[in-house]
Amino acid sequence: MNFELLFQLLLNGLIVGTLYGVVAMCFVLIYKSTQIVNFAQGEFLLIGAWVCYAFLVEMHMPFWMGFLFTLLFMMAFGVILQMVVLRPMIGEPIISVIMVTIGLSIFFQAATKWIFGATTATYPQVFETRSLNVLGMQIETAYIMSFVISLFIMAGFYWFFKYSKLGLAMRATAFDQQVAQSLGISVKTVFAMSWAISALVSGVAGIVIGMVNGVSSALSVIGIKVFPAVILGGLDSIVGAVVGGVIIGLLENTAEFVDGQYLHWGNLFSIAPFYVLIIILCIKPYGLFGTKDIERV
């Protein structure tokens, strides 16, 4: 057994898994606040990556400035999207709102291809050193940056929901919208901020992945790949999203090792998370940390 390759893949899986966990938290944030599963989450990554690319390449901004402007753009984008498209859907059946997010996914895919083209674009060199030696392994500098940023985002989520007034308002709204409104909480503001934070964090993830793999429409597939992590951890659990993301990241890379060394199927890396998704839905449909919904019939 090639233990060096296995260790390299597990280390990559841990780094990518934390990134999956961050994107999964965005799924959970929107679901907890609005009871909506956002199927356009992957397109948020794609838009963030393309916007940052435009700032860096078309407007020749330094990376730090383009990065900050992208974050501001994504926050504004999330708020406007919620106000213009999703706020009029309040009170409508959940399936109607979900279909709207699927329509947004298709629209954003087409719009980004029309504006930026269908070919893969490469970010300019951001770091002087493209990879760093970690425990004898060569790791992309962008991945190391993503790991650090992911940890900061997770810590920020914890502080935000635990201590900030808006975070507490979001928790109250997620628990019961009518009770939260009776306590003077603006549910509309909570909805808008949840979409803004989700868009911002997804934009960060899109930038990091785009720096490593380039920017193309394939980037939006991350939204579908993260969905098994959300289900595994529990659709309404922030902690579950992080744990599920790390597990899926490690599982993907372990599957790649087993497939490359022994099975030689060629696609186990892509399909392994969805096998896990099916198994979890059969055994523990609420996920590892999800809340059981008990209804009287």
Side-chain angles (χ1 to χ4, degrees):
M1 181 181 291
N2 190 340
F3 287 103
E4 183 177 349
L5 176 60
L6 177 61
F7 183 71
Q8 172 86 54
L9 289 173
L10 289 177
L11 188 60
N12 288 340
L14 177 62
I15 295 172
V16 174
T18 56
L19 203 58
Y20 286 171
V22 166
V23 179
M25 286 194 300
C26 298
F27 267 105
V28 174
L29 176 63
I30 290 180
Y31 180 78
K32 282 177 68 69
S33 300
T34 64
Q35 299 299 303
I36 296 171
V37 177
N38 179 23
F39 284 97
Q41 197 71 54
E43 280 64 37
F44 285 5
L45 276 76
L46 180 62
I47 291 171
W50 274 124
V51 169
C52 187
Y53 174 84
F55 282 137
L56 298 182
V57 176
E58 303 297 333
M59 301 183 184
H60 306 287
M61 290 184 181
F63 176 75
W64 67 268
M65 184 181 294
F67 186 77
L68 291 178
F69 274 117
T70 302
L71 299 187
L72 294 175
F73 174 88
M74 292 304 294
M75 283 195 69
F77 171 75
V79 172
I80 294 171
L81 180 67
Q82 196 279 330
M83 292 176 61
V84 175
V85 179
L86 296 162
R87 185 172 294 178
M89 298 297 295
I90 293 177
E92 298 297 327
I94 294 296
I95 187 63
S96 300
V97 185
I98 291 175
M99 291 305 298
V100 168
T101 66
I102 294 175
L104 287 172
S105 172
I106 297 171
F107 172 78
F108 291 145
Q109 278 275 4
T112 52
K113 286 181 180 179
W114 176 58
I115 296 172
F116 298 103
T119 58
T120 301
T122 304
Y123 272 70
Q125 187 71 25
V126 175
F127 303 104
E128 293 183 3
T129 305
R130 188 171 183 83
S131 63
L132 296 175
N133 188 293
V134 179
L135 301 176
M137 306 294 175
Q138 290 298 318
I139 305 296
E140 291 273 358
T141 308
Y143 273 160
I144 297 175
M145 183 193 78
S146 77
F147 183 70
V148 175
I149 290 176
S150 297
L151 293 180
F152 272 110
I153 291 174
M154 290 173 186
F157 263 69
Y158 174 80
W159 178 88
F160 178 77
F161 284 108
K162 189 76 173 178
Y163 299 108
S164 72
K165 181 181 290 188
L166 183 56
L168 293 173
M170 282 188 174
R171 289 170 61 188
T173 304
F175 181 75
D176 193 310
Q177 293 180 12
Q178 291 183 338
V179 172
Q181 200 162 16
S182 69
L183 294 174
I185 296 173
S186 173
V187 175
K188 291 182 179 179
T189 301
V190 169
F191 284 2
M193 287 305 300
S194 65
W195 282 86
I197 295 171
S198 177
L200 183 149
V201 174
S202 297
V204 172
I207 292 169
V208 172
I209 298 173
M211 289 168 59
V212 177
N213 299 328
V215 189
S216 69
S217 58
L219 191 61
S220 61
V221 178
I222 298 295
I224 300 300
K225 292 178 69 175
V226 166
F227 198 65
V230 179
I231 300 300
L232 175 61
L235 197 54
D236 61 349
S237 172
I238 294 291
V239 174
V242 176
V243 174
V246 172
I247 290 174
I248 293 299
L250 293 172
L251 177 66
E252 276 188 344
N253 284 268
T254 303
E256 182 178 8
F257 175 80
V258 173
D259 193 24
Q261 297 292 310
Y262 304 107
L263 299 180
H264 306 293
W265 291 355
N267 63 346
L268 192 60
F269 174 86
S270 301
I271 63 177
F274 296 97
Y275 281 133
V276 172
L277 173 61
I278 294 171
I279 294 171
I280 290 296
L281 287 174
C282 292
I283 299 175
K284 200 173 178 64
Y286 293 100
L288 298 176
F289 298 91
T291 304
K292 290 185 178 181
D293 188 11
I294 300 175
E295 297 182 2
R296 180 176 295 181
V297 294

